[in-house]
Amino acid sequence: EYILCNFQAYRVSFKSILKFIKTYRNKKDRIYIFHKVSHLNIFILKILCPNLKYSLLYWGDDFYGSFFYPDQIEKHCIKRNSYLDKNLYSLHQNSFLDTVRVNIKKILGFYVLDKSAGLVSLTKKQLKILKKFYYLFYGKHLNISHKMLAGYNYNLNDKFISKFQTQSKNHLNILICHSASDSVFHKQSLEIIKNYKKLWNVEINIYGFLSYSGGSNEDRDILEKEIRDYANFANSFHLERSFLNINSLSKILENIHVALFSSFRDEGVTILKEFIQVGGIMSFNKNSINFDFFKSICPDKVLTHLQFLELNIDTISQLRLKDPTIIYDLLSYEELGNQKIKYGKILLNQ
């Protein structure tokens, strides 16, 4: 059996540590899955409980905040993609103190990885990155079992129902964001869409959700104005600022051709999953975590930004009408808890 531990703490939490130890004393035979628990907390627990068996679940900030310089992924992707406009990004300039902090985090993180029974994460790319970092840091290979995790109830093998109907041969409805967070890079998506309009001379209708993240209502007001001003080429805007129930959300997604996101990290995974359910097309930067994840489970509905620019509206409409082909090989929490351990490692099928 397994116990999922989510401290929601990125610093030392003595209260959570004491609570965990009380549980551990009576359930030493369980596998503990640490998610959004700082490596420092896990390090302390491993010292206090040497026989602790645990697996790591990396998803978002618990992965990026533990091994990377600020904006390191963004800088890497921008450097490797000449079509991106560097002027649309405001990125952190690393200092000597940043270097010290990141190296300390890496030492803690790699120790915790070495002692873990296994790793589950959103994508295989996260494991690839960790292996590269580990080798560059220690000069040896990271030996760890890994599997992609289904996570937040990703029932992607359900029956797909698409009510999408092409209402015009000369317009595209495009979703650019799931939130008001600046890591979505709304303007970069609009720049790509503007280039598409120039290439194919089509009408563009912009859709977006600003309900999640992004600060106060005043901050959203500023962002919405910036989006509208920057996207003056669009024929219409539909920016939703309230949280919607699943039925209302699906009705909006059913009318969208493409979700074109410019984030480099995993952003909007839940809403994009719903978009798959109604047969949607997704377009990402080829180096992004989102591209790696969705390309591995729904390859026929995922395009790079450059591939999107190459397709005319008829081809996009035909692709939109097709049902997605799902390659569903994701591990559930229950399956993780049932895995056998040999020599301190969970025997995960790659």
Side-chain angles (χ1 to χ4, degrees), residues 10 36 39 57-74 77 101-102 105-106 121-123 125-127 129-130 133 183 263-269 287-293:
Y10 295 103
K36 290 194 175 183
H39 289 154
L57 165 53
Y58 287 146
W59 199 261
D61 287 343
D62 48 350
F63 171 66
Y64 304 116
S66 299
F67 298 98
F68 294 90
Y69 286 97
D71 297 331
Q72 184 174 355
I73 291 179
E74 288 77 3
C77 293
R101 287 172 177 166
V102 169
K105 287 182 178 180
K106 283 183 178 179
S121 64
L122 178 67
T123 71
K125 184 164 187 168
Q126 288 167 314
L127 174 66
I129 291 171
L130 286 175
F133 280 11
S183 61
S263 54
F264 300 115
R265 308 184 183 201
D266 52 297
E267 297 268 8
V269 176
N287 298 114
S288 68
I289 299 292
N290 269 354
F291 179 81
D292 187 79
F293 175 67

Side-chain angles (χ1 to χ4, degrees), residues 83-84 89 174-179 183-186 188-190 192-193 207-209 253 256 258-272 275 281-286 288 290-291 294 303-305:
Y83 74 92
L84 297 177
Y89 301 87
I174 304 179
L175 178 70
I176 64 166
C177 62
H178 73 295
S179 80
S183 61
V184 177
F185 301 117
H186 308 81
Q188 179 62 74
S189 292
L190 292 171
I192 295 167
I193 296 168
Y207 289 76
F209 296 95
L253 296 179
I256 292 174
V258 180
L260 192 148
F261 280 34
S262 292
S263 54
F264 300 115
R265 308 184 183 201
D266 52 297
E267 297 268 8
V269 176
T270 301
I271 195 172
L272 291 170
F275 194 41
I281 303 168
M282 292 164 290
S283 180
F284 308 111
N285 179 278
K286 67 178 181 179
S288 68
N290 269 354
F291 179 81
F294 285 103
L303 306 170
T304 66
H305 289 158

Side-chain angles (χ1 to χ4, degrees), residues 223-327:
L223 175 61
E224 183 169 342
K225 184 178 184 306
E226 288 179 352
I227 291 175
R228 291 181 181 275
D229 290 345
Y230 198 87
N232 54 14
F233 60 87
N235 293 80
S236 68
F237 296 90
H238 307 269
L239 301 176
E240 180 62 56
R241 295 176 60 158
S242 59
F243 287 97
L244 303 178
N245 60 42
I246 190 64
N247 291 330
S248 299
L249 175 63
S250 295
K251 286 181 180 179
I252 294 176
L253 296 179
E254 285 167 1
N255 294 317
I256 292 174
H257 292 79
V258 180
L260 192 148
F261 280 34
S262 292
S263 54
F264 300 115
R265 308 184 183 201
D266 52 297
E267 297 268 8
V269 176
T270 301
I271 195 172
L272 291 170
K273 184 270 290 187
E274 297 299 331
F275 194 41
I276 291 177
Q277 299 292 135
V278 296
I281 303 168
M282 292 164 290
S283 180
F284 308 111
N285 179 278
K286 67 178 181 179
N287 298 114
S288 68
I289 299 292
N290 269 354
F291 179 81
D292 187 79
F293 175 67
F294 285 103
K295 190 68 175 178
S296 66
I297 64 173
C298 186
D300 57 336
K301 289 282 189 171
V302 178
L303 306 170
T304 66
H305 289 158
L306 295 181
Q307 288 172 333
F308 165 73
L309 290 170
E310 293 172 352
L311 301 182
N312 62 33
I313 191 169
D314 290 334
T315 304
I316 288 177
S317 295
Q318 291 170 12
L319 179 59
R320 179 63 176 84
L321 289 168
K322 291 182 178 180
D323 287 336
T325 300
I326 296 298
I327 304 171

